[in-house]
Amino acid sequence: MTQTNKLDNQQLEATSIKQNEEKISTQKGNRFWQFFLKNFETGANQQPTLLGHLLLTSSLLMLIGIGYFSMQWSASKKANEWLGATQNFTPLSEGIKNASEDEKTRLKQQFEEIQARSHRYATIMTFFYQQYYVSISLTSASALVAGICLFFISKKGWDRVNNAVINVFIVASGSVIFFGDLPGIFRQNENSTTSRDLYIAHVSLRNKVLSYLATGATVGAEPEKPNEFSRPETSRFILYVDQKLAELNQVPIGFDPTGIGDVERKSRFGLPEKPQSGNKQQNYGV
């Protein structure tokens, strides 16, 4: 066998191997397509099978889950940007004259408590803000999808519409009901707003303490003169801070379980009635 024949045989073998690989790949593609058609098309109406419905429902729930965690991440990132980096201050007790060591120690304790509370309320505010943002976003998106599905169901009727559309409608409607009820049940907006007010109040009190530590003076420490500049004694200022801490000592977390109702009453969409026997040809026109 000449060298030319050997080269020809090698080329033929390479071509044969390539053709076999393409054939195997095509067969795999056909098998996948056949599997898809087997589970999503049956009969003339091309209705999904039970496995097709399960796959469709799982895909929709996965999309909702991805949207949930994506918006959680986005909301958390924005909240951290808005709040900025947490500042840790060290009280300059040496700046206060005529104050005993006990008074300086107490002021430092008060300042540390204010810092801890500020962080706590900022965390609570951020958490409920995230949940509220995600809830209203997913409710709006699910309502849009459910509304589109409801249009086709109403137009064609329950018996003639593709069951995949009904599947999507049920999942989207369930998402609307679930995420639409969460803000009311967990009072997300109210809890977030209350935590925000407490956070701002503690930041303001922290600034007063810092200013007093630096200057020995403050504004509003005198109850009878709330807007007047004064230089109160350290002991009096400490009692003023204690009073403010007592007023602001709250746990801004509340729930409303009475908001849980039956699915029919909570649904945002009216389901078109199924046709009765003998009225199968009825068309639900829009």
mmCIF file of all heavy atoms in Angstrom, residues 162-181:
data_model
loop_
_atom_site.group_PDB
_atom_site.id
_atom_site.type_symbol
_atom_site.label_atom_id
_atom_site.label_comp_id
_atom_site.label_asym_id
_atom_site.label_seq_id
_atom_site.Cartn_x
_atom_site.Cartn_y
_atom_site.Cartn_z
ATOM 1 N N ASN A 162 -55.196 26.168 26.126
ATOM 2 C CA ASN A 162 -54.136 25.226 26.470
ATOM 3 C C ASN A 162 -53.979 25.151 27.985
ATOM 4 O O ASN A 162 -53.961 26.166 28.674
ATOM 5 C CB ASN A 162 -52.810 25.676 25.833
ATOM 6 C CG ASN A 162 -51.764 24.571 25.873
ATOM 7 O OD1 ASN A 162 -51.368 24.121 26.934
ATOM 8 N ND2 ASN A 162 -51.321 24.148 24.695
ATOM 9 N N ASN A 163 -53.876 23.929 28.482
ATOM 10 C CA ASN A 163 -53.764 23.753 29.928
ATOM 11 C C ASN A 163 -52.497 24.368 30.512
ATOM 12 O O ASN A 163 -52.441 24.647 31.708
ATOM 13 C CB ASN A 163 -53.802 22.256 30.278
ATOM 14 C CG ASN A 163 -55.186 21.675 30.115
ATOM 15 O OD1 ASN A 163 -56.173 22.398 30.161
ATOM 16 N ND2 ASN A 163 -55.263 20.366 29.908
ATOM 17 N N ALA A 164 -51.488 24.570 29.678
ATOM 18 C CA ALA A 164 -50.273 25.225 30.158
ATOM 19 C C ALA A 164 -50.573 26.659 30.585
ATOM 20 O O ALA A 164 -49.997 27.168 31.550
ATOM 21 C CB ALA A 164 -49.202 25.200 29.067
ATOM 22 N N VAL A 165 -51.482 27.317 29.868
ATOM 23 C CA VAL A 165 -51.871 28.684 30.225
ATOM 24 C C VAL A 165 -52.576 28.692 31.574
ATOM 25 O O VAL A 165 -52.337 29.573 32.413
ATOM 26 C CB VAL A 165 -52.772 29.295 29.138
ATOM 27 C CG1 VAL A 165 -53.238 30.698 29.534
ATOM 28 C CG2 VAL A 165 -52.055 29.338 27.798
ATOM 29 N N ILE A 166 -53.432 27.694 31.800
ATOM 30 C CA ILE A 166 -54.124 27.589 33.089
ATOM 31 C C ILE A 166 -53.114 27.318 34.202
ATOM 32 O O ILE A 166 -53.222 27.865 35.309
ATOM 33 C CB ILE A 166 -55.191 26.475 33.037
ATOM 34 C CG1 ILE A 166 -56.243 26.808 31.977
ATOM 35 C CG2 ILE A 166 -55.855 26.291 34.390
ATOM 36 C CD1 ILE A 166 -57.311 25.749 31.801
ATOM 37 N N ASN A 167 -52.120 26.482 33.913
ATOM 38 C CA ASN A 167 -51.070 26.188 34.890
ATOM 39 C C ASN A 167 -50.334 27.464 35.290
ATOM 40 O O ASN A 167 -50.162 27.754 36.478
ATOM 41 C CB ASN A 167 -50.087 25.175 34.293
ATOM 42 C CG ASN A 167 -49.077 24.663 35.313
ATOM 43 O OD1 ASN A 167 -48.619 25.393 36.173
ATOM 44 N ND2 ASN A 167 -48.726 23.397 35.187
ATOM 45 N N VAL A 168 -49.921 28.240 34.287
ATOM 46 C CA VAL A 168 -49.206 29.486 34.567
ATOM 47 C C VAL A 168 -50.100 30.443 35.344
ATOM 48 O O VAL A 168 -49.648 31.138 36.272
ATOM 49 C CB VAL A 168 -48.730 30.136 33.253
ATOM 50 C CG1 VAL A 168 -48.096 31.496 33.524
ATOM 51 C CG2 VAL A 168 -47.734 29.233 32.539
ATOM 52 N N PHE A 169 -51.389 30.500 34.974
ATOM 53 C CA PHE A 169 -52.332 31.388 35.657
ATOM 54 C C PHE A 169 -52.471 31.021 37.136
ATOM 55 O O PHE A 169 -52.481 31.902 38.011
ATOM 56 C CB PHE A 169 -53.697 31.329 34.976
ATOM 57 C CG PHE A 169 -54.769 32.068 35.703
ATOM 58 C CD1 PHE A 169 -54.824 33.445 35.684
ATOM 59 C CD2 PHE A 169 -55.737 31.379 36.438
ATOM 60 C CE1 PHE A 169 -55.815 34.140 36.363
ATOM 61 C CE2 PHE A 169 -56.731 32.062 37.126
ATOM 62 C CZ PHE A 169 -56.764 33.443 37.084
ATOM 63 N N ILE A 170 -52.563 29.728 37.420
ATOM 64 C CA ILE A 170 -52.725 29.282 38.807
ATOM 65 C C ILE A 170 -51.481 29.618 39.623
ATOM 66 O O ILE A 170 -51.574 30.135 40.752
ATOM 67 C CB ILE A 170 -53.022 27.773 38.854
ATOM 68 C CG1 ILE A 170 -54.404 27.490 38.248
ATOM 69 C CG2 ILE A 170 -52.962 27.250 40.287
ATOM 70 C CD1 ILE A 170 -54.725 26.011 38.119
ATOM 71 N N VAL A 171 -50.297 29.346 39.073
ATOM 72 C CA VAL A 171 -49.052 29.636 39.802
ATOM 73 C C VAL A 171 -48.890 31.136 40.013
ATOM 74 O O VAL A 171 -48.550 31.596 41.113
ATOM 75 C CB VAL A 171 -47.841 29.061 39.047
ATOM 76 C CG1 VAL A 171 -46.542 29.479 39.734
ATOM 77 C CG2 VAL A 171 -47.918 27.544 38.978
ATOM 78 N N ALA A 172 -49.158 31.923 38.957
ATOM 79 C CA ALA A 172 -49.020 33.380 39.074
ATOM 80 C C ALA A 172 -50.031 33.949 40.058
ATOM 81 O O ALA A 172 -49.706 34.844 40.852
ATOM 82 C CB ALA A 172 -49.185 34.029 37.706
ATOM 83 N N SER A 173 -51.262 33.438 40.029
ATOM 84 C CA SER A 173 -52.280 33.917 40.968
ATOM 85 C C SER A 173 -51.914 33.558 42.409
ATOM 86 O O SER A 173 -52.110 34.360 43.332
ATOM 87 C CB SER A 173 -53.643 33.315 40.612
ATOM 88 O OG SER A 173 -54.047 33.712 39.321
ATOM 89 N N GLY A 174 -51.384 32.349 42.585
ATOM 90 C CA GLY A 174 -50.933 31.965 43.917
ATOM 91 C C GLY A 174 -49.809 32.865 44.408
ATOM 92 O O GLY A 174 -49.755 33.229 45.590
ATOM 93 N N SER A 175 -48.917 33.247 43.499
ATOM 94 C CA SER A 175 -47.836 34.164 43.863
ATOM 95 C C SER A 175 -48.387 35.536 44.249
ATOM 96 O O SER A 175 -47.912 36.158 45.205
ATOM 97 C CB SER A 175 -46.857 34.305 42.696
ATOM 98 O OG SER A 175 -45.838 35.231 42.989
ATOM 99 N N VAL A 176 -49.409 36.001 43.525
ATOM 100 C CA VAL A 176 -50.031 37.289 43.853
ATOM 101 C C VAL A 176 -50.653 37.250 45.243
ATOM 102 O O VAL A 176 -50.494 38.169 46.052
ATOM 103 C CB VAL A 176 -51.091 37.659 42.800
ATOM 104 C CG1 VAL A 176 -51.894 38.877 43.243
ATOM 105 C CG2 VAL A 176 -50.430 37.937 41.461
ATOM 106 N N ILE A 177 -51.386 36.174 45.523
ATOM 107 C CA ILE A 177 -52.047 36.050 46.820
ATOM 108 C C ILE A 177 -51.022 35.968 47.946
ATOM 109 O O ILE A 177 -51.141 36.641 48.977
ATOM 110 C CB ILE A 177 -52.961 34.808 46.835
ATOM 111 C CG1 ILE A 177 -54.093 34.967 45.822
ATOM 112 C CG2 ILE A 177 -53.538 34.582 48.226
ATOM 113 C CD1 ILE A 177 -54.906 33.705 45.606
ATOM 114 N N PHE A 178 -49.971 35.163 47.740
ATOM 115 C CA PHE A 178 -48.964 34.964 48.794
ATOM 116 C C PHE A 178 -48.191 36.248 49.067
ATOM 117 O O PHE A 178 -48.157 36.738 50.199
ATOM 118 C CB PHE A 178 -48.008 33.849 48.373
ATOM 119 C CG PHE A 178 -46.910 33.587 49.364
ATOM 120 C CD1 PHE A 178 -47.168 32.927 50.550
ATOM 121 C CD2 PHE A 178 -45.621 34.017 49.104
ATOM 122 C CE1 PHE A 178 -46.158 32.687 51.470
ATOM 123 C CE2 PHE A 178 -44.601 33.784 50.017
ATOM 124 C CZ PHE A 178 -44.872 33.118 51.195
ATOM 125 N N PHE A 179 -47.566 36.800 48.034
ATOM 126 C CA PHE A 179 -46.745 37.993 48.233
ATOM 127 C C PHE A 179 -47.595 39.235 48.483
ATOM 128 O O PHE A 179 -47.121 40.183 49.119
ATOM 129 C CB PHE A 179 -45.830 38.215 47.027
ATOM 130 C CG PHE A 179 -44.727 37.218 46.914
ATOM 131 C CD1 PHE A 179 -44.774 36.207 45.960
ATOM 132 C CD2 PHE A 179 -43.648 37.260 47.766
ATOM 133 C CE1 PHE A 179 -43.757 35.269 45.856
ATOM 134 C CE2 PHE A 179 -42.615 36.331 47.675
ATOM 135 C CZ PHE A 179 -42.677 35.332 46.712
ATOM 136 N N GLY A 180 -48.839 39.233 48.000
ATOM 137 C CA GLY A 180 -49.708 40.371 48.263
ATOM 138 C C GLY A 180 -50.180 40.443 49.703
ATOM 139 O O GLY A 180 -50.469 41.538 50.216
ATOM 140 N N ASP A 181 -50.243 39.292 50.375
ATOM 141 C CA ASP A 181 -50.685 39.270 51.772
ATOM 142 C C ASP A 181 -49.555 39.520 52.765
ATOM 143 O O ASP A 181 -49.800 39.943 53.896
ATOM 144 C CB ASP A 181 -51.331 37.914 52.093
ATOM 145 C CG ASP A 181 -52.734 37.810 51.525
ATOM 146 O OD1 ASP A 181 -53.265 38.854 51.109
ATOM 147 O OD2 ASP A 181 -53.281 36.702 51.484
#
